[in-house]
């Protein structure tokens, strides 16, 4: 289209976002949009401002924009971090604003935390769908972490990979994993959901291992990955964080969401510094994988690793789809 639809400014809350961004639609949009627009979307480095209003509080701003006529939008993601908040109040909040890149007119604002959860899960599932073996469909998913992202990772993998029939859940805090298991059993009654006491057991039994923790030390050992497994460590996004060890990267063929992962993901940064990984060892980005310009899985027994840290490229594409779907729904 030549320009964004002309409508009054809208606010799309978390519930509405989940409705206008069903996973199959979002994944399809990213599969097409990442190869088509990644080279045209500009994403300057995020800017962080310390705030004097609360101890260690900060404001982070992350802009992105596209001049391509088929994606005439710019977005600004604003994240606040207030570590001193009470336990009843989340320490991180976010909002995403969408504007016309042709006129600068503000179009929409989105509840940013939900948009981030949906984008992170969708990117994870898109990569898995492109990297798992088509001739040996996965049946067991191991989920490490029981935070806000866990239910969405489960939902998206089940919708993308219908061969999955069993989920193993591990978390540092048993009370959280117990609550998550109850939620998953209620939401997916046809799926076997089990709690495991240790990651070693969970990793060795899994076809897909998805980690969504804030760990600064490896929680899974690469030597335990079974032949043909797919590893999906999505929790780390700074050089100080690390969910898998060097052996996982050594045994697996590594893909990344964007080049930023080489500077921000603790697993990759540390492995390069230790001489365990070279940049040329990384097979490619998600955009190239989706475009088919790099080869994905080469054999049933090959282990694949997809490391994502997230960028505003995905936020912009998701905001575009959410806004256009929302407007279309209102006009129907």
């Amino acid at each position: 289209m030549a320009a964004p639809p002309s409508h009054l400014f809208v606010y799309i809350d978390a519930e509405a976002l989940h409705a206008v961004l069903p996973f199959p639609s979002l994944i399809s949009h990213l599969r097409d949009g990442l190869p088509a627009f990644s080279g045209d979307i500009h994403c300057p480095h995020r800017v962080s401002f310390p705030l004097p209003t609360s101890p260690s509080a900060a404001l982070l701003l992350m802009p992105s924009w596209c001049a391509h006529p088929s994606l005439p939008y710019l977005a600004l993601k604003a994240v606040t971090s207030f570590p001193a908040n009470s336990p009843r109040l989340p320490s991180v909040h976010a909002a995403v604003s969408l504007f016309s890149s042709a006129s600068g007119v503000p179009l929409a604002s989105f509840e940013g935390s939900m948009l981030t959860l949906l984008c992170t899960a969708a990117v994870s599932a898109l990569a898995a769908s492109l990297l798992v073996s088509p001739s040996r469909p996965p049946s067991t998913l191991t989920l490490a972490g029981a935070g806000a992202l866990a239910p969405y990772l489960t939902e998206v993998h089940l919708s993308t990979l219908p061969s999955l029939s069993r989920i193993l859940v591990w978390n540092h805090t048993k009370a959280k994993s117990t609550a998550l298991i109850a939620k998953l059993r209620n939401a997916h009654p046809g799926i076997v959901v089990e709690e495991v006491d240790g990651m070693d057991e969970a990793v060795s039994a899994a076809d897909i291992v998805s980690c969504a923790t804030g760990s600064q030390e490896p929680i899974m050992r690469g030597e335990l990955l079974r032949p043909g497994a797919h590893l999906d460590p999505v929790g780390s996004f700074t050089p100080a964080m690390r969910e898998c060890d060097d052996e996982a990267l050594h045994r697996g063929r590594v893909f990344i969401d964007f080049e930023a992962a080489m500077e921000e993901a603790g697993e990759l940064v540390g492995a390069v510094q230790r001489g365990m990984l070279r940049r040329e060892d990384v097979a490619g980005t998600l955009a190239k994988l989706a475009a088919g310009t790099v080869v994905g899985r080469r054999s049933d027994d090959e282990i694949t690793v997809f490391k994502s840290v997230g960028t505003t490229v995905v936020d912009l594409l998701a905001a575009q789809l959410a806004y256009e779907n929302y407007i279309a729904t209102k006009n129907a």
Side-chain angles (χ1 to χ4, degrees), residues 21-72:
L21 287 180
F23 278 129
S25 176
L26 178 55
I27 291 170
S28 176
H29 187 62
L30 295 178
R31 184 186 295 113
D32 295 337
L34 287 173
F37 299 115
S38 285
D40 295 308
I41 297 177
H42 301 272
C43 301
H45 289 296
R46 69 184 180 190
V47 181
S48 178
F49 300 95
L51 300 176
T53 54
S54 179
S56 301
L59 168 66
L60 292 83
L61 300 178
M62 291 158 274
S64 60
W65 64 87
C66 185
H68 195 286
S70 295
L71 188 64

Short mmCIF file of all heavy atoms in Angstrom, two decimals, residues 21-72:
data_model
loop_
_atom_site.label_atom_id
_atom_site.label_comp_id
_atom_site.label_asym_id
_atom_site.label_seq_id
_atom_site.Cartn_x
_atom_site.Cartn_y
_atom_site.Cartn_z
N LEU A 21 -3.37 -10.11 16.89
CA LEU A 21 -2.11 -10.74 16.49
C LEU A 21 -2.13 -12.24 16.80
O LEU A 21 -1.32 -12.74 17.59
CB LEU A 21 -0.92 -10.08 17.20
CG LEU A 21 -0.51 -8.69 16.74
CD1 LEU A 21 0.68 -8.19 17.55
CD2 LEU A 21 -0.18 -8.67 15.25
N PRO A 22 -3.06 -12.99 16.21
CA PRO A 22 -3.01 -14.45 16.40
C PRO A 22 -1.69 -14.98 15.87
O PRO A 22 -1.17 -14.50 14.86
CB PRO A 22 -4.21 -14.95 15.58
CG PRO A 22 -4.46 -13.89 14.57
CD PRO A 22 -4.10 -12.59 15.24
N PHE A 23 -1.13 -15.97 16.55
CA PHE A 23 0.20 -16.43 16.20
C PHE A 23 0.37 -16.86 14.74
O PHE A 23 1.36 -16.51 14.10
CB PHE A 23 0.65 -17.54 17.15
CG PHE A 23 1.19 -17.01 18.46
CD1 PHE A 23 0.71 -17.49 19.67
CD2 PHE A 23 2.19 -16.05 18.48
CE1 PHE A 23 1.21 -17.01 20.87
CE2 PHE A 23 2.70 -15.56 19.67
CZ PHE A 23 2.21 -16.04 20.87
N PRO A 24 -0.57 -17.62 14.17
CA PRO A 24 -0.37 -18.00 12.76
C PRO A 24 -0.22 -16.80 11.83
O PRO A 24 0.62 -16.80 10.92
CB PRO A 24 -1.63 -18.82 12.43
CG PRO A 24 -2.06 -19.36 13.76
CD PRO A 24 -1.76 -18.28 14.75
N SER A 25 -1.03 -15.75 12.10
CA SER A 25 -0.96 -14.55 11.27
C SER A 25 0.34 -13.80 11.50
O SER A 25 0.99 -13.34 10.54
CB SER A 25 -2.15 -13.64 11.59
OG SER A 25 -2.08 -12.42 10.88
N LEU A 26 0.76 -13.66 12.76
CA LEU A 26 1.99 -12.94 13.08
C LEU A 26 3.21 -13.66 12.51
O LEU A 26 4.11 -13.03 11.93
CB LEU A 26 2.12 -12.77 14.59
CG LEU A 26 3.38 -12.07 15.10
CD1 LEU A 26 3.57 -10.70 14.46
CD2 LEU A 26 3.34 -11.95 16.63
N ILE A 27 3.25 -14.96 12.66
CA ILE A 27 4.39 -15.73 12.16
C ILE A 27 4.48 -15.63 10.63
O ILE A 27 5.56 -15.44 10.06
CB ILE A 27 4.30 -17.20 12.60
CG1 ILE A 27 4.52 -17.28 14.12
CG2 ILE A 27 5.31 -18.07 11.87
CD1 ILE A 27 4.22 -18.64 14.70
N SER A 28 3.35 -15.74 9.95
CA SER A 28 3.33 -15.61 8.50
C SER A 28 3.81 -14.22 8.07
O SER A 28 4.57 -14.08 7.10
CB SER A 28 1.92 -15.86 7.98
OG SER A 28 1.84 -15.66 6.58
N HIS A 29 3.39 -13.19 8.81
CA HIS A 29 3.78 -11.82 8.51
C HIS A 29 5.29 -11.64 8.67
O HIS A 29 5.95 -11.00 7.84
CB HIS A 29 3.02 -10.87 9.43
CG HIS A 29 3.22 -9.42 9.11
ND1 HIS A 29 2.84 -8.85 7.92
CD2 HIS A 29 3.77 -8.40 9.84
CE1 HIS A 29 3.12 -7.57 7.91
NE2 HIS A 29 3.70 -7.26 9.07
N LEU A 30 5.85 -12.22 9.72
CA LEU A 30 7.29 -12.12 9.95
C LEU A 30 8.07 -12.94 8.92
O LEU A 30 9.13 -12.51 8.45
CB LEU A 30 7.64 -12.59 11.36
CG LEU A 30 7.10 -11.74 12.51
CD1 LEU A 30 7.48 -12.36 13.86
CD2 LEU A 30 7.61 -10.30 12.42
N ARG A 31 7.54 -14.10 8.55
CA ARG A 31 8.21 -14.94 7.55
C ARG A 31 8.35 -14.18 6.23
O ARG A 31 9.37 -14.28 5.54
CB ARG A 31 7.43 -16.24 7.34
CG ARG A 31 8.13 -17.21 6.37
CD ARG A 31 7.28 -18.41 6.06
NE ARG A 31 7.07 -19.24 7.24
CZ ARG A 31 5.89 -19.41 7.85
NH1 ARG A 31 4.81 -18.80 7.36
NH2 ARG A 31 5.79 -20.19 8.90
N ASP A 32 7.32 -13.42 5.87
CA ASP A 32 7.37 -12.65 4.63
C ASP A 32 8.08 -11.31 4.82
O ASP A 32 8.84 -10.86 3.95
CB ASP A 32 5.95 -12.39 4.10
CG ASP A 32 5.23 -13.66 3.70
OD1 ASP A 32 5.91 -14.66 3.40
OD2 ASP A 32 3.99 -13.66 3.70
N GLY A 33 7.81 -10.66 5.95
CA GLY A 33 8.30 -9.30 6.15
C GLY A 33 9.77 -9.18 6.47
O GLY A 33 10.43 -8.22 6.04
N LEU A 34 10.32 -10.13 7.21
CA LEU A 34 11.74 -10.04 7.56
C LEU A 34 12.65 -10.06 6.32
O LEU A 34 13.53 -9.21 6.19
CB LEU A 34 12.12 -11.14 8.54
CG LEU A 34 11.61 -10.95 9.97
CD1 LEU A 34 11.89 -12.18 10.82
CD2 LEU A 34 12.26 -9.72 10.60
N PRO A 35 12.46 -11.01 5.40
CA PRO A 35 13.30 -10.97 4.19
C PRO A 35 13.05 -9.73 3.33
O PRO A 35 13.97 -9.20 2.71
CB PRO A 35 12.91 -12.24 3.44
CG PRO A 35 12.26 -13.12 4.44
CD PRO A 35 11.59 -12.20 5.41
N ALA A 36 11.79 -9.28 3.31
CA ALA A 36 11.44 -8.18 2.41
C ALA A 36 11.91 -6.82 2.91
O ALA A 36 12.32 -5.96 2.10
CB ALA A 36 9.92 -8.15 2.21
N PHE A 37 11.87 -6.61 4.24
CA PHE A 37 12.08 -5.26 4.76
C PHE A 37 13.26 -5.08 5.70
O PHE A 37 13.58 -3.94 6.07
CB PHE A 37 10.82 -4.78 5.47
CG PHE A 37 9.60 -4.71 4.59
CD1 PHE A 37 8.52 -5.53 4.82
CD2 PHE A 37 9.55 -3.83 3.51
CE1 PHE A 37 7.39 -5.49 4.00
CE2 PHE A 37 8.43 -3.77 2.70
CZ PHE A 37 7.35 -4.60 2.94
N SER A 38 13.90 -6.16 6.13
CA SER A 38 14.98 -6.01 7.12
C SER A 38 16.05 -5.02 6.66
O SER A 38 16.59 -4.24 7.46
CB SER A 38 15.63 -7.37 7.41
OG SER A 38 14.80 -8.16 8.22
N GLY A 39 16.35 -5.01 5.36
CA GLY A 39 17.38 -4.10 4.86
C GLY A 39 16.93 -2.66 4.76
O GLY A 39 17.76 -1.75 4.63
N ASP A 40 15.61 -2.42 4.84
CA ASP A 40 15.07 -1.06 4.71
C ASP A 40 14.66 -0.45 6.04
O ASP A 40 14.32 0.73 6.09
CB ASP A 40 13.84 -1.08 3.78
CG ASP A 40 14.19 -1.47 2.36
OD1 ASP A 40 15.12 -0.87 1.80
OD2 ASP A 40 13.55 -2.40 1.83
N ILE A 41 14.64 -1.25 7.10
CA ILE A 41 14.24 -0.74 8.41
C ILE A 41 15.47 -0.25 9.16
O ILE A 41 16.46 -0.96 9.28
CB ILE A 41 13.51 -1.82 9.23
CG1 ILE A 41 12.21 -2.22 8.53
CG2 ILE A 41 13.20 -1.32 10.63
CD1 ILE A 41 11.45 -3.35 9.22
N HIS A 42 15.40 0.98 9.64
CA HIS A 42 16.50 1.58 10.38
C HIS A 42 16.22 1.48 11.88
O HIS A 42 15.16 1.88 12.35
CB HIS A 42 16.67 3.05 9.97
CG HIS A 42 16.93 3.23 8.51
ND1 HIS A 42 18.19 3.21 7.96
CD2 HIS A 42 16.07 3.42 7.47
CE1 HIS A 42 18.12 3.39 6.66
NE2 HIS A 42 16.84 3.51 6.33
N CYS A 43 17.20 0.98 12.61
CA CYS A 43 17.06 0.78 14.06
C CYS A 43 18.30 1.31 14.77
O CYS A 43 19.27 0.57 14.97
CB CYS A 43 16.88 -0.70 14.40
SG CYS A 43 15.47 -1.47 13.64
N PRO A 44 18.31 2.59 15.12
CA PRO A 44 19.46 3.12 15.87
C PRO A 44 19.60 2.40 17.22
O PRO A 44 18.65 1.80 17.73
CB PRO A 44 19.09 4.59 16.09
CG PRO A 44 18.05 4.89 15.06
CD PRO A 44 17.30 3.61 14.85
N HIS A 45 20.81 2.47 17.79
CA HIS A 45 21.03 1.87 19.10
C HIS A 45 20.09 2.51 20.13
O HIS A 45 19.80 3.71 20.07
CB HIS A 45 22.47 2.06 19.54
CG HIS A 45 23.44 1.24 18.77
ND1 HIS A 45 23.43 -0.14 18.79
CD2 HIS A 45 24.45 1.60 17.92
CE1 HIS A 45 24.40 -0.60 18.02
NE2 HIS A 45 25.02 0.43 17.47
N ARG A 46 19.62 1.69 21.05
CA ARG A 46 18.72 2.21 22.07
C ARG A 46 19.46 3.22 22.95
O ARG A 46 20.67 3.13 23.15
CB ARG A 46 18.17 1.07 22.92
CG ARG A 46 19.17 0.38 23.80
CD ARG A 46 18.53 -0.79 24.52
NE ARG A 46 19.49 -1.48 25.38
CZ ARG A 46 19.26 -2.63 25.98
NH1 ARG A 46 18.12 -3.26 25.81
NH2 ARG A 46 20.18 -3.17 26.75
N VAL A 47 18.70 4.17 23.46
CA VAL A 47 19.24 5.21 24.33
C VAL A 47 18.67 5.02 25.72
O VAL A 47 17.45 4.81 25.88
CB VAL A 47 18.90 6.62 23.79
CG1 VAL A 47 19.50 7.69 24.69
CG2 VAL A 47 19.39 6.78 22.36
N SER A 48 19.53 5.06 26.72
CA SER A 48 19.09 4.85 28.10
C SER A 48 19.35 6.11 28.92
O SER A 48 20.43 6.71 28.83
CB SER A 48 19.83 3.66 28.72
OG SER A 48 19.45 3.48 30.07
N PHE A 49 18.35 6.51 29.70
CA PHE A 49 18.46 7.68 30.56
C PHE A 49 18.22 7.27 32.01
O PHE A 49 17.16 6.72 32.34
CB PHE A 49 17.41 8.74 30.18
CG PHE A 49 17.53 9.23 28.77
CD1 PHE A 49 16.76 8.67 27.76
CD2 PHE A 49 18.40 10.26 28.44
CE1 PHE A 49 16.85 9.12 26.46
CE2 PHE A 49 18.51 10.71 27.13
CZ PHE A 49 17.73 10.15 26.14
N PRO A 50 19.17 7.50 32.91
CA PRO A 50 18.92 7.26 34.33
C PRO A 50 17.90 8.26 34.85
O PRO A 50 17.89 9.43 34.44
CB PRO A 50 20.30 7.47 34.98
CG PRO A 50 21.03 8.36 34.03
CD PRO A 50 20.53 8.03 32.65
N LEU A 51 17.04 7.79 35.73
CA LEU A 51 15.99 8.65 36.28
C LEU A 51 16.22 8.86 37.78
O LEU A 51 16.44 7.90 38.52
CB LEU A 51 14.61 8.02 36.06
CG LEU A 51 14.21 7.78 34.60
CD1 LEU A 51 12.88 7.06 34.53
CD2 LEU A 51 14.15 9.09 33.82
N PRO A 52 16.14 10.10 38.24
CA PRO A 52 16.40 10.38 39.66
C PRO A 52 15.21 10.12 40.57
O PRO A 52 15.29 10.28 41.78
CB PRO A 52 16.75 11.87 39.64
CG PRO A 52 15.95 12.42 38.51
CD PRO A 52 15.92 11.33 37.46
N THR A 53 14.10 9.68 39.97
CA THR A 53 12.87 9.55 40.75
C THR A 53 12.80 8.30 41.62
O THR A 53 11.97 8.20 42.51
CB THR A 53 11.64 9.56 39.81
OG1 THR A 53 11.82 8.54 38.82
CG2 THR A 53 11.52 10.92 39.12
N SER A 54 13.68 7.31 41.30
CA SER A 54 13.67 6.05 42.05
C SER A 54 15.05 5.41 41.91
O SER A 54 15.71 5.59 40.88
CB SER A 54 12.59 5.12 41.50
OG SER A 54 12.57 3.88 42.19
N PRO A 55 15.50 4.66 42.93
CA PRO A 55 16.82 4.03 42.85
C PRO A 55 16.98 3.14 41.63
O PRO A 55 16.14 2.27 41.37
CB PRO A 55 16.90 3.21 44.15
CG PRO A 55 15.96 3.90 45.08
CD PRO A 55 14.85 4.43 44.23
N SER A 56 18.02 3.36 40.85
CA SER A 56 18.37 2.56 39.66
C SER A 56 17.31 2.63 38.56
O SER A 56 17.34 1.82 37.63
CB SER A 56 18.62 1.10 40.04
OG SER A 56 19.67 1.00 40.99
N ALA A 57 16.40 3.56 38.62
CA ALA A 57 15.36 3.66 37.60
C ALA A 57 15.95 4.18 36.29
O ALA A 57 16.92 4.95 36.28
CB ALA A 57 14.24 4.58 38.07
N ALA A 58 15.35 3.74 35.18
CA ALA A 58 15.86 4.15 33.88
C ALA A 58 14.74 4.19 32.86
O ALA A 58 13.73 3.49 32.97
CB ALA A 58 16.95 3.19 33.41
N LEU A 59 14.93 5.03 31.84
CA LEU A 59 14.05 5.12 30.69
C LEU A 59 14.86 4.73 29.46
O LEU A 59 15.94 5.26 29.22
CB LEU A 59 13.51 6.54 30.52
CG LEU A 59 12.79 6.85 29.20
CD1 LEU A 59 11.49 6.07 29.10
CD2 LEU A 59 12.54 8.35 29.07
N LEU A 60 14.35 3.77 28.68
CA LEU A 60 15.02 3.32 27.47
C LEU A 60 14.14 3.64 26.27
O LEU A 60 12.94 3.35 26.27
CB LEU A 60 15.29 1.81 27.52
CG LEU A 60 16.30 1.30 28.54
CD1 LEU A 60 15.64 1.15 29.91
CD2 LEU A 60 16.87 -0.04 28.12
N LEU A 61 14.75 4.22 25.23
CA LEU A 61 14.03 4.59 24.03
C LEU A 61 14.63 3.86 22.83
O LEU A 61 15.84 3.87 22.63
CB LEU A 61 14.09 6.10 23.80
CG LEU A 61 13.49 6.98 24.91
CD1 LEU A 61 13.68 8.46 24.57
CD2 LEU A 61 12.01 6.66 25.11
N MET A 62 13.75 3.22 22.03
CA MET A 62 14.20 2.42 20.89
C MET A 62 13.36 2.76 19.66
O MET A 62 12.24 2.28 19.51
CB MET A 62 14.07 0.93 21.22
CG MET A 62 15.06 0.45 22.27
SD MET A 62 14.55 -1.08 23.11
CE MET A 62 13.51 -0.40 24.41
N PRO A 63 13.89 3.62 18.77
CA PRO A 63 13.15 3.99 17.55
C PRO A 63 13.44 3.03 16.39
O PRO A 63 14.46 2.34 16.36
CB PRO A 63 13.70 5.38 17.25
CG PRO A 63 15.11 5.34 17.74
CD PRO A 63 15.12 4.40 18.94
N SER A 64 12.53 3.01 15.44
CA SER A 64 12.74 2.29 14.18
C SER A 64 11.83 2.90 13.14
O SER A 64 10.75 3.40 13.46
CB SER A 64 12.43 0.79 14.34
OG SER A 64 11.09 0.59 14.75
N TRP A 65 12.27 2.87 11.88
CA TRP A 65 11.43 3.41 10.82
C TRP A 65 11.80 2.77 9.49
O TRP A 65 12.86 2.17 9.34
CB TRP A 65 11.57 4.93 10.74
CG TRP A 65 12.93 5.41 10.37
CD1 TRP A 65 13.46 5.61 9.12
CD2 TRP A 65 13.98 5.78 11.29
NE1 TRP A 65 14.74 6.06 9.19
CE2 TRP A 65 15.09 6.19 10.51
CE3 TRP A 65 14.08 5.80 12.68
CZ2 TRP A 65 16.29 6.60 11.08
CZ3 TRP A 65 15.27 6.22 13.25
CH2 TRP A 65 16.36 6.61 12.46
N CYS A 66 10.87 2.92 8.55
CA CYS A 66 11.07 2.34 7.23
C CYS A 66 10.57 3.32 6.18
O CYS A 66 9.49 3.89 6.32
CB CYS A 66 10.33 1.01 7.09
SG CYS A 66 10.64 0.16 5.52
N ALA A 67 11.37 3.53 5.14
CA ALA A 67 10.99 4.44 4.07
C ALA A 67 10.39 3.71 2.87
O ALA A 67 9.97 4.34 1.90
CB ALA A 67 12.20 5.25 3.61
N HIS A 68 10.36 2.37 2.93
CA HIS A 68 9.80 1.60 1.82
C HIS A 68 8.30 1.90 1.70
O HIS A 68 7.58 1.93 2.70
CB HIS A 68 10.01 0.11 2.07
CG HIS A 68 9.81 -0.75 0.85
ND1 HIS A 68 8.56 -1.01 0.35
CD2 HIS A 68 10.70 -1.37 0.03
CE1 HIS A 68 8.68 -1.78 -0.72
NE2 HIS A 68 9.97 -2.01 -0.93
N PRO A 69 7.80 2.13 0.49
CA PRO A 69 6.38 2.49 0.33
C PRO A 69 5.41 1.42 0.81
O PRO A 69 4.25 1.73 1.10
CB PRO A 69 6.24 2.72 -1.18
CG PRO A 69 7.43 2.04 -1.80
CD PRO A 69 8.52 2.15 -0.80
N SER A 70 5.86 0.17 0.92
CA SER A 70 4.97 -0.89 1.40
C SER A 70 4.96 -1.00 2.92
O SER A 70 4.17 -1.75 3.48
CB SER A 70 5.39 -2.24 0.80
OG SER A 70 5.21 -2.24 -0.60
N LEU A 71 5.83 -0.23 3.58
CA LEU A 71 5.87 -0.24 5.04
C LEU A 71 6.11 1.19 5.54
O LEU A 71 7.15 1.51 6.11
CB LEU A 71 6.98 -1.17 5.54
CG LEU A 71 7.05 -1.44 7.05
CD1 LEU A 71 5.80 -2.16 7.53
CD2 LEU A 71 8.29 -2.24 7.40
N PRO A 72 5.12 2.07 5.33
CA PRO A 72 5.32 3.50 5.62
C PRO A 72 5.06 3.86 7.08
O PRO A 72 4.16 4.64 7.41
CB PRO A 72 4.29 4.16 4.70
CG PRO A 72 3.18 3.17 4.65
CD PRO A 72 3.81 1.81 4.73
#
